Amino acid sequence: MDKTNAVRLVESAGLTFVIKEYEYDENDLSGVTAAAKIGMPAEQVFKTLVTRGDKNGINVFCIPVEDELDLKKAARVSGNKSLEMVHVKELLALTGYIRGGCSPVGMKKKYPTFFDETAELFDEIAVSAGVRGMQIVTEPMGLVTYLGAQLAEVTKG
C-alpha cells in the first residue's frame, strides 16, 4: 500500500485508524458499492461533497454514502443563503482530489467542513483516503476534532 497524503496526515495527527483497500470499477464509483466492498454498513461510510456558497465560498460536507445532502440545511449551517455542488471538473483544482477519491483530510486549502451528525453514533466511520479504492476507518470524533469540523444535520429525510 502506498501511503496517501491523507493517510500520512491522519497518522501524524495520532489518530487510530485502519486502511481498507478494494477494487473499484471506473463505471461504478458509488459509495454504497465501496461500503459493501470494505464490509461496512453504508451509514458508517462517509462521502465527501464539495459545495460553493453564495456568501462564503467553498464548504465541505461529509455524509453517509446512502444519503443525499440537503442543500437548504447545509446552507443554513454553513452561513449561506444558498449552496450548489461544485462541478466535478473543478474538484481537482479546488481540493487536490478527483471524484471517487475526495478526502476531507489534506485538501489544498482548509475549507469549512461539516459532518452529518450521525457520525457520532458510531465507534468508527470510513472516509476516502484520497484515492479511489482506499478508505480510512477511524473514530469519528477524533477525525472531526482534527479537521476542526462541525457536526450538523445536513441530510434529507
Side-chain angles (χ1 to χ4, degrees):
M1 170 196 85
D2 291 333
K3 276 189 192 173
T4 65
N5 189 42
V7 171
R8 280 191 287 279
L9 288 168
V10 167
E11 194 172 60
S12 68
L15 297 177
T16 303
F17 69 96
V18 174
I19 297 299
K20 297 223 177 173
E21 292 186 271
Y22 61 94
E23 291 287 324
Y24 68 91
D25 177 353
E26 200 71 41
N27 298 312
D28 181 9
L29 296 174
S30 98
V32 174
T33 299
K37 287 187 174 185
I38 65 169
M40 286 183 73
E43 61 268 14
Q44 285 179 253
V45 179
F46 281 61
K47 59 187 171 185
T48 304
L49 303 173
V50 182
T51 65
R52 181 175 283 111
D54 65 329
K55 299 227 184 293
N56 66 8
I58 303 302
N59 293 272
V60 176
F61 294 90
C62 297
I63 67 171
V65 295
E66 63 188 356
D67 290 344
E68 194 177 330
L69 185 65
D70 184 316
L71 290 172
K72 284 190 168 96
K73 289 178 185 174
R76 201 167 28 255
V77 302
S78 64
N80 289 281
K81 278 193 174 158
S82 66
L83 283 178
E84 62 182 17
M85 297 299 297
V86 164
H87 197 282
V88 72
K89 287 186 284 195
E90 296 179 85
L91 202 57
L92 182 60
L94 288 170
T95 66
Y97 296 121
I98 59 171
R99 179 176 167 265
C102 190
S103 179
V105 181
M107 288 191 176
K108 284 184 170 183
K109 290 183 180 172
K110 185 160 176 39
Y111 298 116
T113 302
F114 303 85
F115 274 75
D116 186 67
E117 64 187 1
T118 59
E120 70 180 335
L121 301 176
F122 304 107
D123 292 335
E124 61 183 23
I125 63 168
V127 296
S128 174
V131 293
R132 292 173 179 167
M134 187 186 295
Q135 296 280 313
I136 296 169
V137 180
T138 189
E139 190 274 316
M141 296 317 295
L143 182 62
V144 166
T145 300
Y146 168 66
L147 292 172
Q150 295 177 47
L151 289 176
E153 183 186 341
V154 294
T155 58
K156 292 186 176 180

